[in-house]
């Protein structure tokens, strides 16, 4: 497998004293993660699966700024290839082959991230798995097999199983006929929204956007110093808060129609001390209290209509909200909208409101696929286009006549006599 940086997987087999990590990033936009890793000096990276990167580094990541584009980071253990199609044979291979992996190196790397755990104190562990695709076995089968292999290979450490209160999490990624194994180092990288929600006595919203994906959206927008960035349907402010933490020389505005979401966003903004370049508002995205052409960049995670809302509501919301976004966006601005309602978006872009005088309409620059929690979503990169060559409204096309199986009757001699 060839990576974006021209590194093959064979380049990871040298003997340099480097730590090997397994990064989980958002599938289908791994190139954004590669860009951030390059900026951080982590150029030795290769993609080994959907949303999975192997990174080698001599930098002590436990004391460095971790990549914002990574959902989770693991200490890489090993990989299983060519799993048998038969269930029993596949489980047997997952139980036996991982016992020969170098678990001690991964455990030593894990202890660097968690130095509070003494080697003399026995630790607990849990085995977890994430499976993509169709297999004869299920995820609990993978968890049990890999957990057995880990406990057998580390008999001297005397790890005990604990599904709830565990110290080490052995994580397995299963896709196609391969399994990647790692020890969890950091989960849900980004600002600790869950902690703030729990302090306020509120449950975590089901539709909360992952901070890693929010960072990727902001990075794709190429935010420049001094620009004003808007998220008109920001929810709890994930996109703008991630942007304010990474681009502190730009100004961010987020708003939502729900009072609870706006209150949570305000609490998170205050917790991370980004009030100087972030504003939280309570508004309706169809009627925002902003003047014309005052925003440079718009980044928005539009409601999907799956867990929140519906397709019918989106068909009413999208046209009005997009017209309002077009009003507040500068003529040279850019807009990034993410949604799974690709048919609705395509219809809106192809059937935009016509006016008899010069007007602005949306221009589609790119449509980028992205996997969001198993849903096939798209990121629409839009700009404003001035239409100057206008005229009278075009005539509507005549409705095509339905084709009939009935044959036309041919004129006969009697018909001619009748006409005469």
């Amino acid at each position: 497998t060839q990576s974006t940086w021209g590194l093959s997987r064979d380049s990871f087999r040298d003997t340099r004293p480097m730590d090997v990590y397994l990064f989980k990033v958002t599938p289908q936009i791994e190139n954004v993660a590669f860009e951030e890793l390059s900026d951080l000096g982590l150029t030795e990276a290769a993609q080994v699966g959907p949303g999975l990167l192997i990174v080698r580094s001599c930098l002590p990541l436990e004391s460095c700024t971790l990549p914002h584009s990574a959902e989770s980071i693991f200490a890489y253990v090993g990989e299983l290839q060519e799993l048998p199609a038969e269930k029993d044979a596949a489980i047997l291979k997952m139980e036996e082959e991982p016992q020969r992996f170098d678990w001690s190196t991964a455990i030593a790397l894990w202890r660097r991230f968690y130095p509070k755990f003494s080697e003399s104190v026995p630790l607990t562990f849990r085995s977890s798995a994430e499976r993509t695709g169709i297999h004869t076995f299920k995820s609990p089968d993978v968890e049990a097999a890999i957990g057995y292999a880990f406990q057998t290979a580390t008999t001297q450490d005397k790890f005990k199983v604990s599904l709830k209160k565990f110290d080490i999490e052995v994580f397995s990624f299963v896709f196609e006929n391969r399994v990647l194994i790692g020890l969890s180092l950091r989960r849900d990288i980004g600002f600790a929204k869950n902690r703030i929600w729990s302090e306020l006595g509120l449950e975590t919203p089901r539709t909360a956007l992952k901070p890693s994906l929010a960072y990727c959206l902001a990075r794709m927008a190429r935010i420049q110093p001094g620009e004003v960035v808007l998220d008109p349907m920001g929810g709890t402010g994930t996109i703008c808060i991630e942007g304010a933490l990474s681009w502190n020389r730009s100004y961010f505005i987020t708003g939502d129609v729900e009072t609870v979401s706006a209150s949570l966003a305000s609490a998170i903004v205050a917790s991370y001390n980004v009030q100087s370049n972030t504003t939280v508002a309570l508004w309706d995205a169809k009627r925002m209290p902003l003047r014309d052409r005052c925003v440079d960049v718009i980044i928005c995670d539009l409601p999907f209509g799956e867990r929140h809302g519906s397709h019918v509501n989106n068909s009413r919301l999208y046209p009005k909200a997009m017209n309002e976004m077009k009003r507040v966006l500068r003529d040279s601005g850019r807009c990034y909208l993410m949604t799974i309602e690709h048919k609705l978006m395509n219809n809106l872009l192809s059937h935009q409101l016509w006016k008899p005088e010069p007007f602005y309409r949306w221009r589609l620059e790119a449509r980028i696929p992205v996997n969001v929690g198993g849903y096939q979503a798209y990121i629409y990169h839009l700009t404003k286009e001035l239409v100057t060559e206008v005229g009278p409204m075009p005539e509507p096309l005549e409705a095509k006549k339905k084709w009939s199986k009935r044959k036309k009757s041919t004129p006969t001699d009697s018909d001619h006599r009748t006409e005469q």
Side-chain angles (χ1 to χ4, degrees):
T1 303
Q2 196 75 11
S3 74
T4 304
W5 303 103
L7 299 175
S8 64
R9 294 177 59 189
D10 295 336
S11 63
F12 293 101
R13 298 175 182 174
D14 53 28
T15 58
R16 288 180 294 173
M18 284 191 172
D19 301 319
V20 185
Y21 300 90
L22 179 63
F23 283 23
K24 180 187 176 184
V25 300
T26 305
Q28 296 183 311
I29 54 172
E30 293 89 353
N31 60 314
V32 181
F34 277 120
E35 291 180 4
E36 185 191 12
L37 294 177
S38 178
D39 293 344
L40 296 176
L42 303 173
T43 56
E44 293 199 30
Q47 182 178 348
V48 293
L52 297 174
L53 311 179
I54 287 184
V55 180
R56 294 196 63 177
S57 173
C58 58
L59 300 175
L61 293 188
E62 65 274 10
S63 58
C64 299
T65 301
L66 297 176
H68 292 269
S69 58
E71 295 180 12
S72 308
I73 296 181
F74 305 86
Y76 179 70
V77 177
E79 177 184 359
L80 293 176
Q81 296 182 348
E82 299 180 359
L83 282 179
E86 186 181 0
K87 177 180 178 180
D88 295 337
I91 294 177
L92 182 61
K93 184 171 183 177
M94 287 187 289
E95 288 178 347
E96 295 180 351
E97 191 166 329
Q99 297 181 25
R100 297 189 291 268
F101 290 164
D102 186 9
W103 292 93
S104 59
T105 302
I107 293 175
L109 179 57
W110 178 87
R111 290 187 180 278
R112 283 166 43 190
F113 277 77
Y114 299 95
K116 62 179 181 179
F117 294 101
S118 174
E119 296 185 7
S120 59
V121 178
L123 302 178
T124 58
F125 80 96
R126 183 183 75 174
S127 179
S128 304
E130 181 178 305
R131 187 171 56 88
T132 304
I134 300 175
H135 303 89
T136 56
F137 50 85
K138 298 182 178 180
S139 297
D141 300 328
V142 180
E143 296 170 355
I146 300 300
Y148 170 79
F150 171 74
Q151 197 170 26
T152 305
T154 59
T155 307
Q156 68 281 2
D157 295 316
K158 299 180 180 180
F159 292 114
K160 296 182 180 180
V161 179
S162 179
L163 299 181
K164 293 184 178 180
K165 297 181 179 180
F166 57 91
D167 301 319
I168 299 180
E169 183 177 26
V170 183
F171 211 95
S172 305
F173 295 94
V174 184
F175 57 96
E176 298 176 352
N177 62 343
R178 301 163 58 190
V179 182
L180 290 173
I181 306 174
L183 301 183
S184 179
L185 301 177
R186 289 287 189 274
R187 299 295 305 276
D188 297 328
I189 299 173
F191 50 84
K193 296 193 298 183
N194 294 344
R195 175 180 59 81
I196 297 175
W197 282 324
S198 61
E199 291 177 355
L200 296 176
L202 300 173
E203 295 182 358
T204 303
R206 295 183 304 167
T207 58
L209 182 66
K210 291 185 178 180
S212 56
L213 180 54
Y215 172 84
C216 291
L217 289 172
R219 189 177 182 91
M220 293 172 64
R222 309 295 181 186
I223 300 173
Q224 302 299 320
E227 288 187 331
V228 179
V229 184
L230 169 67
D231 184 359
M233 291 177 271
T236 56
T238 310
I239 294 176
C240 286
I241 295 172
E242 275 290 332
L245 293 172
S246 301
W247 292 271
N248 54 9
R249 296 178 62 186
S250 302
Y251 197 82
F252 296 84
I253 305 174
T254 181
D256 199 84
V257 70
E258 295 183 358
T259 306
V260 176
S261 298
S263 301
L264 287 172
S266 300
I268 299 172
V269 167
S271 175
Y272 285 87
N273 196 24
V274 290
Q275 303 96 319
S276 59
N277 63 333
T278 307
T279 295
V280 180
L282 179 65
W283 62 31
D284 187 352
K286 302 187 294 294
R287 297 181 298 272
M288 291 183 288
L290 299 175
R291 58 184 175 84
D292 297 348
R293 300 180 180 87
C294 63
V295 174
D296 299 289
V297 184
I298 295 178
I299 308 172
C300 185
D301 174 24
L302 297 174
F304 288 3
E306 293 290 337
R307 297 181 178 177
H308 184 74
S310 64
H311 173 73
V312 176
N313 293 338
N314 289 344
S315 61
R316 300 169 182 170
L317 171 65
Y318 280 25
K320 297 180 180 179
M322 290 184 64
N323 286 334
E324 187 70 358
M325 294 180 202
K326 185 168 53 178
R327 180 186 67 83
V328 301
L329 185 65
R330 298 185 192 275
D331 297 343
S332 59
R334 52 203 184 276
C335 179
Y336 292 81
L337 306 178
M338 184 176 69
T339 181
I340 65 171
E341 294 270 18
H342 56 93
K343 291 184 179 180
L344 176 59
M345 285 291 295
N346 294 338
N347 290 334
L348 290 176
L349 295 176
S350 59
H351 300 87
Q352 299 188 52
L353 181 63
W354 182 90
K355 294 182 180 180
E357 67 275 359
F359 66 98
Y360 281 96
R361 67 181 179 185
W362 289 116
R363 175 186 175 89
L364 179 62
E365 300 291 344
R367 194 180 75 154
I368 306 165
V370 56
N371 188 300
V372 182
Y375 293 102
Q376 182 57 67
Y378 292 90
I379 301 172
Y380 288 81
H381 176 198
L382 308 175
T383 56
K384 291 173 64 174
E385 179 184 24
L386 178 62
V387 180
T388 56
E389 298 180 1
V390 297
M393 182 176 294
E395 293 289 337
L397 297 177
E398 294 183 2
K400 294 183 179 180
K401 296 182 180 180
K402 294 184 178 180
W403 179 77
S404 176
K405 294 183 179 179
R406 182 180 175 183
K407 293 184 179 180
K408 294 183 179 179
S409 59
T410 57
T412 60
D413 295 339
S414 61
D415 295 332
H416 290 295
R417 286 195 295 269
T418 302
E419 292 177 0
Q420 294 176 358

